[in-house]
Amino acid sequence: MQNVFWAIILMVIILAVALLAVGMIDGNRFVTIKENFQLPRLSQECKFVLISDLHNKVYGYKNDRVIAAIQKIKPDFIVLAGDLVTSKVREDMTPGIELIRTLSQQYPIYYGLGNHESKMKNDLAEFGDKYNQLITAISTKNVEILDNKAIDIPKYNIRIIGLNLDLDYFVHFRVRKMEDGYLQRTLPPQDANKCNILIAHNPDYFKEYAQWGVDLILSGHVHGGIMRLPFLGGVVAPSYRLFPKYDGGVFHQGKSSMLLGRGLGSHTLPFRFFNPAELYEVTLQPSYFSPSMNKGKSTGSKRKDCC
């Protein structure tokens, strides 16, 4: 019996070490995912890169691996779906700032805020002017900060709207009900004559975003659930809810679609288990069918190991 006991202990130790190794490996690599969407009112095909939840993560020297992957894609623009940095008073924001400044030399960037930017912006007592330091450092003619703001891209007949969701909607252990009319009061209106894209960091309100009426929602926040299990998906959300409904990938609701990025980085615990970081290459194509038939459909995803 004693030999059996020690054999079990040894197996547990081996499994723990193996799991830790997986967490470290997946926490320090990323894959490129290709997604295609057919959207109504889009005037011509375009391609963009979706980055979410970098949290100041660095791949290679000054994120040269991320930059090289994006240059290979040759996007028409880049979308940031929040949490470029982490809201820690003493954390150095240089990695996130340097990445955006480098990319903005080649590509237009549309930056929707996440809860970490919102924390820095709203809690002046704790963070001082750290949010202003971030915005000042990345502000170039090619970077648009979409803080409850919309901008049109006439070339593609796209209207991009960035939602800075109130921090009350990032509570732990539950999903707070969204107040009636909240999006209408908070955001500029969509344009019925354009292809409308919403950058909304928190995916929990996909139903409300879809009912508000946009063609494509771009989200992040959940980090793929930290650990992914076969058939079960992501295990835990940042709100400490187990097996979140939205953990990563493509979802559909009515005429709207949501692309939920699993993030390029992490915070607090630098591990990802069976859940490598993701960079998205997204191709948008005009839909020549009725929106009710097409429903902003995704034509499938492809995964490519990288870096």
Side-chain angles (χ1 to χ4, degrees), residues 255-289:
K255 298 178 183 179
S256 301
S257 298
M258 177 172 70
L259 174 56
L260 171 53
R262 293 188 174 95
L264 268 178
S266 57
H267 65 89
T268 309
L269 295 176
F271 301 107
R272 301 173 68 105
F273 301 94
F274 313 107
N275 176 40
E278 291 182 346
L279 181 75
Y280 272 89
E281 173 185 342
V282 185
T283 300
L284 303 182
Q285 299 168 321
S287 168
Y288 299 107
F289 301 97

Side-chain angles (χ1 to χ4, degrees), residues 110-122:
Y110 303 99
Y111 184 179
L113 304 184
N115 56 303
H116 283 260
E117 289 93 348
S118 292
K119 285 179 185 177
M120 294 192 300
K121 180 180 180 181
N122 294 320

Side-chain angles (χ1 to χ4, degrees), residues 143-161:
V143 178
E144 292 285 349
I145 310 298
L146 300 181
D147 184 354
N148 294 329
K149 176 183 173 183
I151 189 167
D152 295 332
I153 311 177
K155 181 177 180 179
Y156 308 110
N157 199 38
I158 286 175
R159 183 171 178 83
I160 296 185
I161 308 164

Side-chain angles (χ1 to χ4, degrees), residues 68-79:
I70 292 173
Q71 289 174 333
K72 187 175 181 180
I73 293 169
K74 299 179 180 178
D76 297 298
F77 56 91
I78 294 171
V79 174

